[in-house]
Amino acid sequence: MKRGLLIILSGPSGVGKGTVREQLFKEESLNLAYSISMTTRYKRPGEREGIDYFFVDVDTFKKKIEQGELLEYAQFVGNYYGTPKAYVDQLLDEGKNVVLEIEVQGALQVMKKVPDALTIFLVPPSMEELERRIRGRKTEAESVMQERLAKAEREIKTKDSYKHVVVNNTVEQAANEIADIIRHNIN
Ligand code: 5GP
C-alpha cells in the first residue's frame, strides 16, 4: 500500500486551525487522519482526553522525550506539546494522509526529518481580526492572551518556511483551498 502523506498545518493561536481542520475532515476522499498530540496544558471546557489531546503531567511528558517517543515537541506559552511518533507512523503505513496541527518550532523539526511533508501555514485576514478571535475565546487569563498575541506576531513571521500560505477569510474558503492543495499532492 502507498504510504500516506504527512501534512503539517500551522498558524498562530486563534487563527481557526481547529475549525478549518474540522471542515477539511468532512471531505472523505482526502483520506485524512488527525494526529492527537500530547500536552501538559490544562483541559479546556469541552475538550476530551484522547480525542483533542492526551493530557499528561510534566514528568510523563519528559519521560516520553527521553524515550524518543515523540516525532517533535515544543514549549508553547508555558506548556509542552508533542506528537507521539508511533501512532503517526502506523497511520501513514495504513495509507492515511496524516494531519499534524502544530506550532512553528515543532513544525521546523518535522520539516528537517521529513522534507517531503506538505506544509501549510494558515494566516488571519488581519492582526485586528486575530486579536478579536483570541479575545473571543475567553478561556484564558488576560496575561496568557497577551502572551498568545505576542507569540502570534512572531509566528506569522515564519510563514515563508512553509510550502503554502492560506488566508482564513472564511472557514469554507480556507478549507477548500487546503483541500485543493492536498488533492494536488496525493494524486
Ligand atoms: P492550544 O493550547 O491552543 O491547544 O495549542 C497551542 C499551540 O500548540 C497551537 O499552535 C497548536 O497547534 C500547537 N500544538 C498542538 N499540538 C502540538 C504538538 O504536538 N506539537 C507542537 N509543536 N505544537 C502543538
Side-chain angles (χ1 to χ4, degrees), residues 18-152:
T19 318
V20 169
R21 188 237 311 158
E22 273 170 28
Q23 180 72 21
L24 188 64
F25 271 65
K26 290 183 185 158
E27 190 54 70
E28 284 176 14
S29 65
L30 297 175
N31 196 21
L32 299 175
Y34 180 59
S35 158
I36 301 160
S37 295
M38 192 168 281
T39 185
T40 60
R41 166 165 80 54
Y42 81 99
K43 198 197 271 177
R44 288 184 190 137
E47 285 184 330
R48 294 143 304 170
E49 166 69 22
I51 294 176
D52 298 293
Y53 280 109
F54 294 106
F55 295 94
V56 299
D57 58 29
V58 175
D59 283 348
T60 307
F61 197 99
K62 286 189 171 162
K63 225 167 266 163
K64 299 283 174 190
I65 299 173
E66 278 163 25
Q67 290 165 348
E69 289 183 29
L70 301 178
L71 173 62
E72 59 72 37
Y73 71 92
Q75 268 187 300
F76 184 92
V77 194
N79 290 301
Y80 282 105
Y81 295 82
T83 304
K85 187 175 182 316
Y87 184 54
V88 169
D89 277 339
Q90 180 197 324
L91 291 168
L92 290 171
D93 285 342
E94 287 169 8
K96 296 274 187 198
N97 301 310
V98 181
V99 176
L100 308 186
E101 196 184 299
I102 62 177
E103 55 67 67
V104 168
Q105 303 162 66
L108 295 173
Q109 295 167 39
V110 181
M111 287 177 202
K112 270 194 201 141
K113 289 184 186 169
V114 189
D116 56 0
L118 179 60
T119 59
I120 302 166
F121 194 90
L122 196 60
V123 290
S126 68
M127 283 312 289
E128 290 73 30
E129 176 61 17
L130 185 70
E131 176 160 1
R132 208 181 59 72
R133 289 183 194 174
I134 292 183
R135 291 193 178 280
R137 192 186 264 158
K138 288 199 172 72
T139 51
E140 257 91 15
E142 177 64 26
S143 61
V144 174
M145 273 192 305
Q146 290 294 349
E147 243 183 292
R148 280 180 178 252
L149 268 170
K151 181 100 183 167

